[in-house]
Amino acid sequence: MGNILLKNLKEELKDSIKKVISSEGDLSIDIVFSKTPDLKLGDIATPLSFELAKKQKRSPFEIAENISENISLPNGVEKIEISGGYINFFFDRKFFSNATIEKIVSEYELYGKGNKKNEKVMVEYSQPNTHKSFHIGHLRNVCLGDALANIMEFSGYQTIRANYIGDVGAHVAKCIWGYMKFYSGFIPEGNKGDFLGKVYSEADNKLKKSEIYDEEYREVLKKLYEEEKQTMKVWEMTREWSLEEFKRIYKELGIEFDIFFYESEVKDKGTKVAFELLEKGIAKNKEGAIVVDLIDHNLDEFVILRNDGTALYSTKDIALAERKFKDFKIDRSLYVVGSEQKFYFKQLFKTLEIMGFSQAKKCYHLSYELVMLEEGKMSSREGNVVLYSDLKKFVNKEAIKQVRERNISNAQEISEIVTIGALKYSMMKDNNKKIIFNWKRALDFEGDTAPYIQYAHARAAGILNKAECVKGKFQIDELSEKEYKLVFILSEFPEIVEKASIDYRPDYLSNYTYDVAKCFNEFYHECRVLNAKTNRDFRISLVRATKIVLNNSLMLLGISAPEEM
RNA sequence: GGACCAGUGGCCUAGUGGAUAUGGCAAUAGCCUCCUAAGCUAUAGGUCGGGGGUUCAAAUCCCCCCUGGUCCGCCA
């Protein structure tokens, strides 16, 4: 931990370069390294000479020459070359490979782990509404959020995974009205959560068409607000149905939360806070409602309580944030929520700042675009959604079919691992952009998919199983390009994790993991391992290191790495 | 009307100041007597939405325009 080989080499190189250029009095420049487009050109490069050329009014070539002639290269860097003005550095590749692979193998599951940060972070994600169906849009959220939490934790933050369930509000009342009106006393045998989703959609449809129905619904809404006994009983029962289904899904996905918050438990506190803010003069009364004036911040007015005194989304979120800061003592608060709420979160964070919470500056809204159907937006109301349960069922069917074509001992378990992996990966590999859902692609297990990566892992496992006693020590004769390319990408893992945590970008990990799998497959086809003529011990260790990195990065994505498939 | 996000080969996508623009799907041609063919190799496919500008260097930054999405609710 902490001592990252590739990163260290970069730091040492920076120092060496600075020593050369400082003799000419130029220290202010920030030295950056990039990968070379081709390993033939070197391992890492810097375009520093272009920047210096401008400042010093000399030719970049001359500057590069000067650096190249006067630099004392750190241990592990073998050669320096100038190419088109770039300064390219060549590592001592045997040394680098040796050190990298030994490090990975010895650190094992800790390889890539960041230093402990003295900071507590809470990630809030998967905020499903009870009494509505759980569809693939919710799936995207929970996958992203879980990966983010994993990454933060692995990067060294103390991390709390929070779920915030919407169990009150108009949609609940609609569903309960529909249930009492058309299904009173009925207890579905199968998936109770999906049943409620259908009841909700059906109720919403009928309510649009009848004023009498609408009156009845308002009555239910009122009774829920007043916590009338009979209605509350139905609420409790149906709420539990939804929660059971959610928990079943989380279990299936292998996702665990540290804490569940419910809207029902923060709404009263929120109302209190709204009045407190009013008293303190942070908020003001506007036509009976309570609003925070954010016009000077270019954020309009933020309504935090309705004029009838009932709670809004904002009412509850302010109370919940306060609870997170005060009771859980968190320093950093992350929210994984769809991008349509961007403006809302700006208002919320600004309000928290005005309320005096220093953590407000470390609040972050990880936003992502919706999962859409080819024909357009999904809507629980309309009922035109792809349910999570259906998607899982069909993907699993395909996985079972494919596993059966192979000779595998525990087909059931493997098909489940492939199914969940494929689902999660497809929801995370894009940079939070709009996803147009497509069945053909969802059932694809080749190319840039989780099964491709899992397969690479299983292959590595297969080799290691057959390699009798494995020596920890190895000698490297001649490094082939495929071998070294693989070593190099493995060495990048810690930096990728760090960047993903800084930028809050789980997709960095998805892309990286796929690249590792691809490199490994190329290596696999070109280099024999078990009956290798050269580098046998090294290759076995390289395979082991690859398996470790694949396993660690899949773990961050919440995807299982099978030993066989 | 104002604000934000996106636009990269037929389709999807990486890359947000550095070298010849990354991969996948689909297509074509190959590779299993050899550690798992959910794999590999090769071929073909590009006005990086358009136009200006800044820069030694632009898919990336600035301005204008086009297209799509979202927000500007006492909804969530």
Side-chain angles (χ1 to χ4, degrees), chain A residues 86 306 406 455 524 528:
Chain A
Y86 285 87
R306 283 202 189 92
R406 286 149 240 261
Y455 185 66
Y524 178 93
R528 305 263 88 202

mmCIF file with all atom_site columns, all heavy atoms in Angstrom, chain A residues 86 306 406 455 524 528, chain B residues 18 34-36 38 75:
data_model
loop_
_atom_site.group_PDB
_atom_site.id
_atom_site.type_symbol
_atom_site.label_atom_id
_atom_site.label_alt_id
_atom_site.label_comp_id
_atom_site.label_asym_id
_atom_site.label_entity_id
_atom_site.label_seq_id
_atom_site.pdbx_PDB_ins_code
_atom_site.Cartn_x
_atom_site.Cartn_y
_atom_site.Cartn_z
_atom_site.occupancy
_atom_site.B_iso_or_equiv
_atom_site.pdbx_formal_charge
_atom_site.auth_seq_id
_atom_site.auth_comp_id
_atom_site.auth_asym_id
_atom_site.auth_atom_id
_atom_site.pdbx_PDB_model_num
ATOM 1   N N     . TYR A 1 86  ? 9.041   15.205  -28.183 1.00 0.00 ? 86  TYR A N     1
ATOM 2   C CA    . TYR A 1 86  ? 8.673   14.520  -26.946 1.00 0.00 ? 86  TYR A CA    1
ATOM 3   C C     . TYR A 1 86  ? 9.909   13.948  -26.299 1.00 0.00 ? 86  TYR A C     1
ATOM 4   O O     . TYR A 1 86  ? 10.851  13.546  -26.990 1.00 0.00 ? 86  TYR A O     1
ATOM 5   C CB    . TYR A 1 86  ? 7.734   13.348  -27.233 1.00 0.00 ? 86  TYR A CB    1
ATOM 6   C CG    . TYR A 1 86  ? 6.344   13.773  -27.546 1.00 0.00 ? 86  TYR A CG    1
ATOM 7   C CD1   . TYR A 1 86  ? 5.967   14.093  -28.845 1.00 0.00 ? 86  TYR A CD1   1
ATOM 8   C CD2   . TYR A 1 86  ? 5.411   13.857  -26.526 1.00 0.00 ? 86  TYR A CD2   1
ATOM 9   C CE1   . TYR A 1 86  ? 4.684   14.490  -29.122 1.00 0.00 ? 86  TYR A CE1   1
ATOM 10  C CE2   . TYR A 1 86  ? 4.120   14.250  -26.806 1.00 0.00 ? 86  TYR A CE2   1
ATOM 11  C CZ    . TYR A 1 86  ? 3.768   14.571  -28.107 1.00 0.00 ? 86  TYR A CZ    1
ATOM 12  O OH    . TYR A 1 86  ? 2.505   14.967  -28.374 1.00 0.00 ? 86  TYR A OH    1
ATOM 13  N N     . ARG A 1 306 ? -44.554 22.956  1.875   1.00 0.00 ? 306 ARG A N     1
ATOM 14  C CA    . ARG A 1 306 ? -45.775 23.386  1.175   1.00 0.00 ? 306 ARG A CA    1
ATOM 15  C C     . ARG A 1 306 ? -46.589 24.345  2.029   1.00 0.00 ? 306 ARG A C     1
ATOM 16  O O     . ARG A 1 306 ? -46.473 24.332  3.260   1.00 0.00 ? 306 ARG A O     1
ATOM 17  C CB    . ARG A 1 306 ? -46.654 22.162  0.893   1.00 0.00 ? 306 ARG A CB    1
ATOM 18  C CG    . ARG A 1 306 ? -46.202 21.306  -0.248  1.00 0.00 ? 306 ARG A CG    1
ATOM 19  C CD    . ARG A 1 306 ? -47.427 20.513  -0.731  1.00 0.00 ? 306 ARG A CD    1
ATOM 20  N NE    . ARG A 1 306 ? -47.054 19.505  -1.696  1.00 0.00 ? 306 ARG A NE    1
ATOM 21  C CZ    . ARG A 1 306 ? -46.750 18.248  -1.375  1.00 0.00 ? 306 ARG A CZ    1
ATOM 22  N NH1   . ARG A 1 306 ? -46.774 17.861  -0.110  1.00 0.00 ? 306 ARG A NH1   1
ATOM 23  N NH2   . ARG A 1 306 ? -46.433 17.381  -2.301  1.00 0.00 ? 306 ARG A NH2   1
ATOM 24  N N     . ARG A 1 406 ? -21.170 -26.016 -22.559 1.00 0.00 ? 406 ARG A N     1
ATOM 25  C CA    . ARG A 1 406 ? -19.817 -26.303 -22.099 1.00 0.00 ? 406 ARG A CA    1
ATOM 26  C C     . ARG A 1 406 ? -19.877 -27.375 -21.042 1.00 0.00 ? 406 ARG A C     1
ATOM 27  O O     . ARG A 1 406 ? -20.920 -27.659 -20.482 1.00 0.00 ? 406 ARG A O     1
ATOM 28  C CB    . ARG A 1 406 ? -19.194 -25.034 -21.520 1.00 0.00 ? 406 ARG A CB    1
ATOM 29  C CG    . ARG A 1 406 ? -18.807 -24.052 -22.581 1.00 0.00 ? 406 ARG A CG    1
ATOM 30  C CD    . ARG A 1 406 ? -18.920 -22.644 -22.047 1.00 0.00 ? 406 ARG A CD    1
ATOM 31  N NE    . ARG A 1 406 ? -19.875 -21.905 -22.857 1.00 0.00 ? 406 ARG A NE    1
ATOM 32  C CZ    . ARG A 1 406 ? -19.524 -21.086 -23.831 1.00 0.00 ? 406 ARG A CZ    1
ATOM 33  N NH1   . ARG A 1 406 ? -18.269 -20.876 -24.105 1.00 0.00 ? 406 ARG A NH1   1
ATOM 34  N NH2   . ARG A 1 406 ? -20.436 -20.455 -24.532 1.00 0.00 ? 406 ARG A NH2   1
ATOM 35  N N     . TYR A 1 455 ? -14.382 -14.544 -18.177 1.00 0.00 ? 455 TYR A N     1
ATOM 36  C CA    . TYR A 1 455 ? -13.779 -15.656 -18.894 1.00 0.00 ? 455 TYR A CA    1
ATOM 37  C C     . TYR A 1 455 ? -12.253 -15.582 -18.815 1.00 0.00 ? 455 TYR A C     1
ATOM 38  O O     . TYR A 1 455 ? -11.572 -16.586 -18.624 1.00 0.00 ? 455 TYR A O     1
ATOM 39  C CB    . TYR A 1 455 ? -14.242 -15.632 -20.348 1.00 0.00 ? 455 TYR A CB    1
ATOM 40  C CG    . TYR A 1 455 ? -13.767 -16.801 -21.167 1.00 0.00 ? 455 TYR A CG    1
ATOM 41  C CD1   . TYR A 1 455 ? -14.201 -18.081 -20.887 1.00 0.00 ? 455 TYR A CD1   1
ATOM 42  C CD2   . TYR A 1 455 ? -12.887 -16.615 -22.223 1.00 0.00 ? 455 TYR A CD2   1
ATOM 43  C CE1   . TYR A 1 455 ? -13.766 -19.161 -21.635 1.00 0.00 ? 455 TYR A CE1   1
ATOM 44  C CE2   . TYR A 1 455 ? -12.445 -17.679 -22.983 1.00 0.00 ? 455 TYR A CE2   1
ATOM 45  C CZ    . TYR A 1 455 ? -12.881 -18.960 -22.683 1.00 0.00 ? 455 TYR A CZ    1
ATOM 46  O OH    . TYR A 1 455 ? -12.457 -20.004 -23.424 1.00 0.00 ? 455 TYR A OH    1
ATOM 47  N N     . TYR A 1 524 ? -2.357  -14.679 -23.796 1.00 0.00 ? 524 TYR A N     1
ATOM 48  C CA    . TYR A 1 524 ? -2.713  -16.095 -23.699 1.00 0.00 ? 524 TYR A CA    1
ATOM 49  C C     . TYR A 1 524 ? -2.558  -16.814 -25.036 1.00 0.00 ? 524 TYR A C     1
ATOM 50  O O     . TYR A 1 524 ? -2.115  -17.949 -25.090 1.00 0.00 ? 524 TYR A O     1
ATOM 51  C CB    . TYR A 1 524 ? -4.163  -16.169 -23.221 1.00 0.00 ? 524 TYR A CB    1
ATOM 52  C CG    . TYR A 1 524 ? -4.728  -17.563 -23.098 1.00 0.00 ? 524 TYR A CG    1
ATOM 53  C CD1   . TYR A 1 524 ? -4.671  -18.234 -21.880 1.00 0.00 ? 524 TYR A CD1   1
ATOM 54  C CD2   . TYR A 1 524 ? -5.349  -18.185 -24.176 1.00 0.00 ? 524 TYR A CD2   1
ATOM 55  C CE1   . TYR A 1 524 ? -5.196  -19.493 -21.744 1.00 0.00 ? 524 TYR A CE1   1
ATOM 56  C CE2   . TYR A 1 524 ? -5.879  -19.458 -24.052 1.00 0.00 ? 524 TYR A CE2   1
ATOM 57  C CZ    . TYR A 1 524 ? -5.802  -20.101 -22.837 1.00 0.00 ? 524 TYR A CZ    1
ATOM 58  O OH    . TYR A 1 524 ? -6.323  -21.357 -22.718 1.00 0.00 ? 524 TYR A OH    1
ATOM 59  N N     . ARG A 1 528 ? 2.653   -19.478 -24.551 1.00 0.00 ? 528 ARG A N     1
ATOM 60  C CA    . ARG A 1 528 ? 2.351   -20.662 -23.754 1.00 0.00 ? 528 ARG A CA    1
ATOM 61  C C     . ARG A 1 528 ? 2.833   -20.384 -22.342 1.00 0.00 ? 528 ARG A C     1
ATOM 62  O O     . ARG A 1 528 ? 3.830   -19.701 -22.153 1.00 0.00 ? 528 ARG A O     1
ATOM 63  C CB    . ARG A 1 528 ? 3.108   -21.875 -24.287 1.00 0.00 ? 528 ARG A CB    1
ATOM 64  C CG    . ARG A 1 528 ? 2.902   -22.187 -25.736 1.00 0.00 ? 528 ARG A CG    1
ATOM 65  C CD    . ARG A 1 528 ? 1.869   -23.256 -25.919 1.00 0.00 ? 528 ARG A CD    1
ATOM 66  N NE    . ARG A 1 528 ? 0.556   -22.639 -25.990 1.00 0.00 ? 528 ARG A NE    1
ATOM 67  C CZ    . ARG A 1 528 ? -0.572  -23.296 -25.733 1.00 0.00 ? 528 ARG A CZ    1
ATOM 68  N NH1   . ARG A 1 528 ? -0.551  -24.548 -25.371 1.00 0.00 ? 528 ARG A NH1   1
ATOM 69  N NH2   . ARG A 1 528 ? -1.715  -22.694 -25.840 1.00 0.00 ? 528 ARG A NH2   1
ATOM 70  P P     . G   B 2 18  ? -4.203  16.002  -24.191 1.00 0.00 ? 18  G   B P     1
ATOM 71  O OP1   . G   B 2 18  ? -5.575  15.593  -23.974 1.00 0.00 ? 18  G   B OP1   1
ATOM 72  O OP2   . G   B 2 18  ? -3.111  15.386  -23.411 1.00 0.00 ? 18  G   B OP2   1
ATOM 73  O "O5'" . G   B 2 18  ? -3.893  15.816  -25.739 1.00 0.00 ? 18  G   B "O5'" 1
ATOM 74  C "C5'" . G   B 2 18  ? -3.166  14.691  -26.141 1.00 0.00 ? 18  G   B "C5'" 1
ATOM 75  C "C4'" . G   B 2 18  ? -2.054  15.144  -27.084 1.00 0.00 ? 18  G   B "C4'" 1
ATOM 76  O "O4'" . G   B 2 18  ? -1.535  16.451  -26.705 1.00 0.00 ? 18  G   B "O4'" 1
ATOM 77  C "C3'" . G   B 2 18  ? -0.877  14.169  -27.084 1.00 0.00 ? 18  G   B "C3'" 1
ATOM 78  O "O3'" . G   B 2 18  ? -0.638  13.798  -28.423 1.00 0.00 ? 18  G   B "O3'" 1
ATOM 79  C "C2'" . G   B 2 18  ? 0.275   14.997  -26.478 1.00 0.00 ? 18  G   B "C2'" 1
ATOM 80  O "O2'" . G   B 2 18  ? 1.479   14.713  -27.166 1.00 0.00 ? 18  G   B "O2'" 1
ATOM 81  C "C1'" . G   B 2 18  ? -0.130  16.423  -26.800 1.00 0.00 ? 18  G   B "C1'" 1
ATOM 82  N N9    . G   B 2 18  ? 0.380   17.481  -25.943 1.00 0.00 ? 18  G   B N9    1
ATOM 83  C C8    . G   B 2 18  ? 0.174   17.676  -24.616 1.00 0.00 ? 18  G   B C8    1
ATOM 84  N N7    . G   B 2 18  ? 0.707   18.786  -24.166 1.00 0.00 ? 18  G   B N7    1
ATOM 85  C C5    . G   B 2 18  ? 1.317   19.350  -25.279 1.00 0.00 ? 18  G   B C5    1
ATOM 86  C C6    . G   B 2 18  ? 2.036   20.542  -25.427 1.00 0.00 ? 18  G   B C6    1
ATOM 87  O O6    . G   B 2 18  ? 2.283   21.398  -24.574 1.00 0.00 ? 18  G   B O6    1
ATOM 88  N N1    . G   B 2 18  ? 2.479   20.733  -26.719 1.00 0.00 ? 18  G   B N1    1
ATOM 89  C C2    . G   B 2 18  ? 2.248   19.858  -27.758 1.00 0.00 ? 18  G   B C2    1
ATOM 90  N N2    . G   B 2 18  ? 2.726   20.183  -28.935 1.00 0.00 ? 18  G   B N2    1
ATOM 91  N N3    . G   B 2 18  ? 1.552   18.741  -27.652 1.00 0.00 ? 18  G   B N3    1
ATOM 92  C C4    . G   B 2 18  ? 1.125   18.551  -26.391 1.00 0.00 ? 18  G   B C4    1
ATOM 93  P P     . C   B 2 34  ? -4.975  -30.987 -28.450 1.00 0.00 ? 34  C   B P     1
ATOM 94  O OP1   . C   B 2 34  ? -4.855  -32.120 -27.539 1.00 0.00 ? 34  C   B OP1   1
ATOM 95  O OP2   . C   B 2 34  ? -5.836  -29.861 -28.076 1.00 0.00 ? 34  C   B OP2   1
ATOM 96  O "O5'" . C   B 2 34  ? -3.528  -30.403 -28.729 1.00 0.00 ? 34  C   B "O5'" 1
ATOM 97  C "C5'" . C   B 2 34  ? -2.576  -30.334 -27.635 1.00 0.00 ? 34  C   B "C5'" 1
ATOM 98  C "C4'" . C   B 2 34  ? -2.073  -28.922 -27.434 1.00 0.00 ? 34  C   B "C4'" 1
ATOM 99  O "O4'" . C   B 2 34  ? -1.644  -28.350 -28.704 1.00 0.00 ? 34  C   B "O4'" 1
ATOM 100 C "C3'" . C   B 2 34  ? -3.094  -27.898 -26.947 1.00 0.00 ? 34  C   B "C3'" 1
ATOM 101 O "O3'" . C   B 2 34  ? -3.329  -27.993 -25.559 1.00 0.00 ? 34  C   B "O3'" 1
ATOM 102 C "C2'" . C   B 2 34  ? -2.421  -26.582 -27.310 1.00 0.00 ? 34  C   B "C2'" 1
ATOM 103 O "O2'" . C   B 2 34  ? -1.410  -26.254 -26.388 1.00 0.00 ? 34  C   B "O2'" 1
ATOM 104 C "C1'" . C   B 2 34  ? -1.778  -26.942 -28.662 1.00 0.00 ? 34  C   B "C1'" 1
ATOM 105 N N1    . C   B 2 34  ? -2.602  -26.506 -29.806 1.00 0.00 ? 34  C   B N1    1
ATOM 106 C C2    . C   B 2 34  ? -2.501  -25.168 -30.222 1.00 0.00 ? 34  C   B C2    1
ATOM 107 O O2    . C   B 2 34  ? -1.722  -24.415 -29.627 1.00 0.00 ? 34  C   B O2    1
ATOM 108 N N3    . C   B 2 34  ? -3.259  -24.743 -31.269 1.00 0.00 ? 34  C   B N3    1
ATOM 109 C C4    . C   B 2 34  ? -4.087  -25.582 -31.870 1.00 0.00 ? 34  C   B C4    1
ATOM 110 N N4    . C   B 2 34  ? -4.803  -25.120 -32.889 1.00 0.00 ? 34  C   B N4    1
ATOM 111 C C5    . C   B 2 34  ? -4.221  -26.945 -31.469 1.00 0.00 ? 34  C   B C5    1
ATOM 112 C C6    . C   B 2 34  ? -3.464  -27.358 -30.439 1.00 0.00 ? 34  C   B C6    1
ATOM 113 P P     . C   B 2 35  ? -4.637  -27.329 -24.948 1.00 0.00 ? 35  C   B P     1
ATOM 114 O OP1   . C   B 2 35  ? -5.426  -28.433 -24.364 1.00 0.00 ? 35  C   B OP1   1
ATOM 115 O OP2   . C   B 2 35  ? -5.288  -26.425 -25.908 1.00 0.00 ? 35  C   B OP2   1
ATOM 116 O "O5'" . C   B 2 35  ? -4.042  -26.455 -23.755 1.00 0.00 ? 35  C   B "O5'" 1
ATOM 117 C "C5'" . C   B 2 35  ? -3.619  -27.110 -22.555 1.00 0.00 ? 35  C   B "C5'" 1
ATOM 118 C "C4'" . C   B 2 35  ? -3.643  -26.168 -21.389 1.00 0.00 ? 35  C   B "C4'" 1
ATOM 119 O "O4'" . C   B 2 35  ? -2.553  -25.221 -21.508 1.00 0.00 ? 35  C   B "O4'" 1
ATOM 120 C "C3'" . C   B 2 35  ? -4.875  -25.277 -21.266 1.00 0.00 ? 35  C   B "C3'" 1
ATOM 121 O "O3'" . C   B 2 35  ? -5.889  -25.989 -20.589 1.00 0.00 ? 35  C   B "O3'" 1
ATOM 122 C "C2'" . C   B 2 35  ? -4.365  -24.096 -20.442 1.00 0.00 ? 35  C   B "C2'" 1
ATOM 123 O "O2'" . C   B 2 35  ? -4.491  -24.343 -19.053 1.00 0.00 ? 35  C   B "O2'" 1
ATOM 124 C "C1'" . C   B 2 35  ? -2.872  -24.055 -20.792 1.00 0.00 ? 35  C   B "C1'" 1
ATOM 125 N N1    . C   B 2 35  ? -2.481  -22.895 -21.602 1.00 0.00 ? 35  C   B N1    1
ATOM 126 C C2    . C   B 2 35  ? -1.244  -22.285 -21.334 1.00 0.00 ? 35  C   B C2    1
ATOM 127 O O2    . C   B 2 35  ? -0.551  -22.729 -20.436 1.00 0.00 ? 35  C   B O2    1
ATOM 128 N N3    . C   B 2 35  ? -0.861  -21.233 -22.071 1.00 0.00 ? 35  C   B N3    1
ATOM 129 C C4    . C   B 2 35  ? -1.666  -20.768 -23.031 1.00 0.00 ? 35  C   B C4    1
ATOM 130 N N4    . C   B 2 35  ? -1.228  -19.754 -23.743 1.00 0.00 ? 35  C   B N4    1
ATOM 131 C C5    . C   B 2 35  ? -2.940  -21.374 -23.316 1.00 0.00 ? 35  C   B C5    1
ATOM 132 C C6    . C   B 2 35  ? -3.304  -22.420 -22.575 1.00 0.00 ? 35  C   B C6    1
ATOM 133 P P     . U   B 2 36  ? -7.269  -25.182 -20.168 1.00 0.00 ? 36  U   B P     1
ATOM 134 O OP1   . U   B 2 36  ? -6.847  -24.157 -19.238 1.00 0.00 ? 36  U   B OP1   1
ATOM 135 O OP2   . U   B 2 36  ? -8.268  -26.192 -19.752 1.00 0.00 ? 36  U   B OP2   1
ATOM 136 O "O5'" . U   B 2 36  ? -7.804  -24.442 -21.475 1.00 0.00 ? 36  U   B "O5'" 1
ATOM 137 C "C5'" . U   B 2 36  ? -8.326  -25.163 -22.571 1.00 0.00 ? 36  U   B "C5'" 1
ATOM 138 C "C4'" . U   B 2 36  ? -9.674  -24.580 -22.934 1.00 0.00 ? 36  U   B "C4'" 1
ATOM 139 O "O4'" . U   B 2 36  ? -10.486 -24.484 -21.737 1.00 0.00 ? 36  U   B "O4'" 1
ATOM 140 C "C3'" . U   B 2 36  ? -9.619  -23.182 -23.533 1.00 0.00 ? 36  U   B "C3'" 1
ATOM 141 O "O3'" . U   B 2 36  ? -10.360 -23.181 -24.745 1.00 0.00 ? 36  U   B "O3'" 1
ATOM 142 C "C2'" . U   B 2 36  ? -10.322 -22.305 -22.488 1.00 0.00 ? 36  U   B "C2'" 1
ATOM 143 O "O2'" . U   B 2 36  ? -11.106 -21.295 -23.078 1.00 0.00 ? 36  U   B "O2'" 1
ATOM 144 C "C1'" . U   B 2 36  ? -11.236 -23.298 -21.812 1.00 0.00 ? 36  U   B "C1'" 1
ATOM 145 N N1    . U   B 2 36  ? -11.630 -22.917 -20.463 1.00 0.00 ? 36  U   B N1    1
ATOM 146 C C2    . U   B 2 36  ? -12.972 -22.615 -20.288 1.00 0.00 ? 36  U   B C2    1
ATOM 147 O O2    . U   B 2 36  ? -13.797 -22.650 -21.190 1.00 0.00 ? 36  U   B O2    1
ATOM 148 N N3    . U   B 2 36  ? -13.303 -22.255 -19.016 1.00 0.00 ? 36  U   B N3    1
ATOM 149 C C4    . U   B 2 36  ? -12.466 -22.186 -17.934 1.00 0.00 ? 36  U   B C4    1
ATOM 150 O O4    . U   B 2 36  ? -12.917 -21.861 -16.841 1.00 0.00 ? 36  U   B O4    1
ATOM 151 C C5    . U   B 2 36  ? -11.097 -22.516 -18.199 1.00 0.00 ? 36  U   B C5    1
ATOM 152 C C6    . U   B 2 36  ? -10.737 -22.862 -19.434 1.00 0.00 ? 36  U   B C6    1
ATOM 153 P P     . A   B 2 38  ? -16.037 -20.440 -25.954 1.00 0.00 ? 38  A   B P     1
ATOM 154 O OP1   . A   B 2 38  ? -15.321 -20.978 -24.813 1.00 0.00 ? 38  A   B OP1   1
ATOM 155 O OP2   . A   B 2 38  ? -17.380 -20.934 -26.302 1.00 0.00 ? 38  A   B OP2   1
ATOM 156 O "O5'" . A   B 2 38  ? -16.124 -18.861 -25.798 1.00 0.00 ? 38  A   B "O5'" 1
ATOM 157 C "C5'" . A   B 2 38  ? -16.709 -18.067 -26.803 1.00 0.00 ? 38  A   B "C5'" 1
ATOM 158 C "C4'" . A   B 2 38  ? -17.182 -16.781 -26.200 1.00 0.00 ? 38  A   B "C4'" 1
ATOM 159 O "O4'" . A   B 2 38  ? -18.184 -17.092 -25.192 1.00 0.00 ? 38  A   B "O4'" 1
ATOM 160 C "C3'" . A   B 2 38  ? -16.085 -16.022 -25.471 1.00 0.00 ? 38  A   B "C3'" 1
ATOM 161 O "O3'" . A   B 2 38  ? -16.335 -14.619 -25.550 1.00 0.00 ? 38  A   B "O3'" 1
ATOM 162 C "C2'" . A   B 2 38  ? -16.235 -16.482 -24.028 1.00 0.00 ? 38  A   B "C2'" 1
ATOM 163 O "O2'" . A   B 2 38  ? -15.781 -15.535 -23.089 1.00 0.00 ? 38  A   B "O2'" 1
ATOM 164 C "C1'" . A   B 2 38  ? -17.740 -16.633 -23.916 1.00 0.00 ? 38  A   B "C1'" 1
ATOM 165 N N9    . A   B 2 38  ? -18.170 -17.605 -22.911 1.00 0.00 ? 38  A   B N9    1
ATOM 166 C C8    . A   B 2 38  ? -17.624 -18.799 -22.565 1.00 0.00 ? 38  A   B C8    1
ATOM 167 N N7    . A   B 2 38  ? -18.260 -19.422 -21.607 1.00 0.00 ? 38  A   B N7    1
ATOM 168 C C5    . A   B 2 38  ? -19.307 -18.566 -21.311 1.00 0.00 ? 38  A   B C5    1
ATOM 169 C C6    . A   B 2 38  ? -20.340 -18.632 -20.384 1.00 0.00 ? 38  A   B C6    1
ATOM 170 N N6    . A   B 2 38  ? -20.519 -19.647 -19.561 1.00 0.00 ? 38  A   B N6    1
ATOM 171 N N1    . A   B 2 38  ? -21.203 -17.603 -20.327 1.00 0.00 ? 38  A   B N1    1
ATOM 172 C C2    . A   B 2 38  ? -21.027 -16.590 -21.162 1.00 0.00 ? 38  A   B C2    1
ATOM 173 N N3    . A   B 2 38  ? -20.100 -16.397 -22.090 1.00 0.00 ? 38  A   B N3    1
ATOM 174 C C4    . A   B 2 38  ? -19.259 -17.438 -22.110 1.00 0.00 ? 38  A   B C4    1
ATOM 175 P P     . C   B 2 75  ? -46.224 19.940  -5.046  1.00 0.00 ? 75  C   B P     1
ATOM 176 O OP1   . C   B 2 75  ? -47.345 20.433  -5.832  1.00 0.00 ? 75  C   B OP1   1
ATOM 177 O OP2   . C   B 2 75  ? -46.446 18.883  -4.017  1.00 0.00 ? 75  C   B OP2   1
ATOM 178 O "O5'" . C   B 2 75  ? -45.073 19.421  -6.010  1.00 0.00 ? 75  C   B "O5'" 1
ATOM 179 C "C5'" . C   B 2 75  ? -44.099 18.537  -5.543  1.00 0.00 ? 75  C   B "C5'" 1
ATOM 180 C "C4'" . C   B 2 75  ? -44.285 17.202  -6.228  1.00 0.00 ? 75  C   B "C4'" 1
ATOM 181 O "O4'" . C   B 2 75  ? -44.093 17.398  -7.649  1.00 0.00 ? 75  C   B "O4'" 1
ATOM 182 C "C3'" . C   B 2 75  ? -43.271 16.153  -5.858  1.00 0.00 ? 75  C   B "C3'" 1
ATOM 183 O "O3'" . C   B 2 75  ? -43.677 15.485  -4.672  1.00 0.00 ? 75  C   B "O3'" 1
ATOM 184 C "C2'" . C   B 2 75  ? -43.320 15.238  -7.074  1.00 0.00 ? 75  C   B "C2'" 1
ATOM 185 O "O2'" . C   B 2 75  ? -44.451 14.387  -7.004  1.00 0.00 ? 75  C   B "O2'" 1
ATOM 186 C "C1'" . C   B 2 75  ? -43.542 16.236  -8.216  1.00 0.00 ? 75  C   B "C1'" 1
ATOM 187 N N1    . C   B 2 75  ? -42.290 16.620  -8.922  1.00 0.00 ? 75  C   B N1    1
ATOM 188 C C2    . C   B 2 75  ? -41.791 15.769  -9.927  1.00 0.00 ? 75  C   B C2    1
ATOM 189 O O2    . C   B 2 75  ? -42.388 14.717  -10.152 1.00 0.00 ? 75  C   B O2    1
ATOM 190 N N3    . C   B 2 75  ? -40.669 16.111  -10.588 1.00 0.00 ? 75  C   B N3    1
ATOM 191 C C4    . C   B 2 75  ? -40.059 17.257  -10.295 1.00 0.00 ? 75  C   B C4    1
ATOM 192 N N4    . C   B 2 75  ? -38.971 17.566  -10.979 1.00 0.00 ? 75  C   B N4    1
ATOM 193 C C5    . C   B 2 75  ? -40.547 18.134  -9.287  1.00 0.00 ? 75  C   B C5    1
ATOM 194 C C6    . C   B 2 75  ? -41.654 17.782  -8.626  1.00 0.00 ? 75  C   B C6    1
#
